[in-house]
Amino acid sequence: MSDAPAGTAATLASLGIELLQRGWLSSNCILFTDRSGREPAAVVDSGYALHAAQTVAWLERHLAGQPLGRVVNTHLHSDHCGGNAEIQRRFGSQAWVPDVSVEIVRQWDEERLTYRATDQTCERFTVTGGVRAGGEIWLGDRPWQAWSTPGHDPDALVFFEPRSRVLIAGDALWRDRLAIVFPELAGADGFGSVRETLAAIESLAPNLVIPGHGAPFSDVAGALQASRQRLASFERAPEKHFGYALRALVMFHMLEHRRRPRVDLTEWMAQAPVLLRGRDSLALDRKRVDRMIDASLERLLAEGQLALDGADLVVASK
Ligand SMILES: [Zn+2]
């Protein structure tokens, strides 16, 4: 939390929050405890499956023997609910998800849950209940409002606490980037939803945002402006959004696998269902996409995110 604004630690402490801040493969985890003991502890989001043991170890340390009543998910991308199953095994916790997603989780429909399309893994967990947009959920010692924030994910929620004006934003608002707008890759409208979601967040006037990835931030106007600029550039040129999605999905894949022969990675990108659908919805021909794949890898190499080791691409250690 070193780059979080001054006063953040005190604000989080007053809400009973411990924050496990992470990078990009796993989402942040936000642990709530109620020192009065009236409400059981709860954690919002649980990271990616690969980090599940790390997540549970962190929870054990901070819970210090208290039970963990429930895990609550902002949305069901694999990097936000990949620790749910391990948490349920270790703590016997309930799992609460956006209510529109309850049935999909119950059936474990990996197609609708996007894990098949993105070739990401998420261990099946048992859903207990749904959080309704427009409703409230108790976290720590107070109720948090749940707001619907479609765009990045059509079913995503954010949680807002009106007294402190703290917003748990999931992937609906980051400090200086815009998350992939997945519906657009499937040929559906997503950019319009992002615009509405940004307006809804603006109307809440949060003082502090805890994003799904990276440090908490207070410059909400700056983040909204950056997101809107990015959104406008994607709307003007949707293939830019496709290129961004290529790079983001490749980095996610590489952070999981660490090393892949370049030829295999290129083939994986050309075959990943989420990208095939994006290609079709933009009517891009295969040659153009091949050039974009090459350009994506070159850019990640130039930026120092990936490095070449013989014929292999590896995650650069910065
Ligand atoms: Zn997400």
Side-chain angles (χ1 to χ4, degrees):
M1 260 180 29
S2 52
D3 49 350
T8 299
T11 302
L12 298 186
S14 72
L15 294 164
I17 290 177
E18 285 286 347
L19 175 65
L20 174 56
Q21 186 192 312
R22 286 168 146 156
W24 301 109
L25 184 61
S26 271
S27 68
N28 294 337
C29 294
I30 303 149
L31 172 64
F32 285 85
T33 51
D34 173 7
R35 274 145 302 184
S36 73
R38 277 194 300 271
E39 276 294 316
V43 64
V44 175
D45 287 340
S46 64
Y48 192 58
L50 195 71
H51 293 154
Q54 182 195 80
T55 302
V56 164
W58 178 81
L59 288 168
E60 278 173 343
R61 203 161 58 245
H62 289 283
L63 287 162
Q66 281 182 71
L68 181 63
R70 58 185 170 185
V71 53
V72 181
N73 298 115
T74 55
H75 64 302
L76 294 166
H77 284 161
S78 60
D79 53 332
H80 289 254
C81 65
N84 283 20
E86 188 69 24
I87 286 173
Q88 290 192 312
R89 256 195 305 278
R90 169 63 183 82
F91 301 104
S93 313
Q94 299 184 355
W96 287 67
V97 304
D99 70 343
V100 288
S101 307
V102 167
E103 227 17 71
I104 304 164
V105 177
R106 204 160 268 152
Q107 294 161 15
W108 204 250
D109 182 344
E110 293 218 343
E111 190 61 44
R112 298 269 306 274
L113 288 165
T114 73
Y115 311 141
R116 198 161 294 153
T118 53
D119 194 18
Q120 294 170 4
T121 49
C122 185
E123 191 182 346
R124 184 171 188 163
F125 61 91
T126 307
V127 65
T128 314
V131 185
R132 194 173 46 81
E136 288 181 340
I137 181 163
W138 276 84
L139 296 168
D141 64 356
R142 52 186 92 175
W144 288 63
Q145 302 169 349
W147 290 81
S148 166
T149 50
H152 166 69
D153 177 279
D155 302 333
L157 296 176
V158 296
F159 304 117
F160 181 65
E161 200 288 303
R163 272 202 285 159
S164 61
R165 313 203 75 77
V166 171
L167 179 75
I168 295 173
D171 292 345
L173 183 68
W174 292 345
R175 191 175 53 185
D176 43 28
R177 297 198 302 160
L178 185 66
I180 298 174
V181 186
F182 279 98
E184 290 284 337
L185 297 178
D189 171 62
F191 295 149
S193 303
V194 171
R195 187 170 300 288
E196 286 164 21
T197 281
L198 295 174
I201 289 175
E202 188 167 44
S203 72
L204 293 174
N207 281 333
L208 183 71
V209 172
I210 307 173
H213 301 268
F217 59 89
S218 292
D219 182 9
V220 180
L224 287 168
Q225 191 188 10
S227 284
R228 284 180 171 131
Q229 274 171 4
R230 203 70 202 277
L231 176 64
S233 85
F234 288 160
E235 284 175 319
R236 276 195 303 274
E239 67 277 8
K240 253 192 182 175
H241 174 255
F242 183 74
Y244 169 57
L246 270 178
R247 293 192 301 282
L249 287 162
V250 151
M251 272 318 292
F252 193 94
H253 186 78
M254 286 300 292
L255 285 168
E256 178 173 9
H257 297 277
R258 311 303 295 182
R259 168 183 291 269
R260 294 289 309 268
R262 180 169 178 154
V263 47
D264 290 3
L265 186 65
T266 305
E267 188 55 27
W268 175 82
M269 292 166 84
Q271 296 299 329
V274 64
L275 297 173
L276 283 176
R277 276 175 219 152
R279 184 193 77 184
D280 291 347
S281 71
L282 289 173
L284 299 169
D285 66 40
R286 170 79 199 235
K287 271 205 184 108
R288 173 97 193 270
V289 173
D290 286 347
R291 281 199 303 276
M292 289 177 82
I293 289 173
D294 255 347
S296 303
L297 295 180
E298 289 306 323
R299 181 157 160 188
L300 291 169
L301 286 165
E303 288 171 355
Q305 302 204 58
L306 295 179
L308 267 173
D309 181 18
D312 288 355
L313 285 163
V314 295
V315 175
S317 45
K318 283 192 208 170

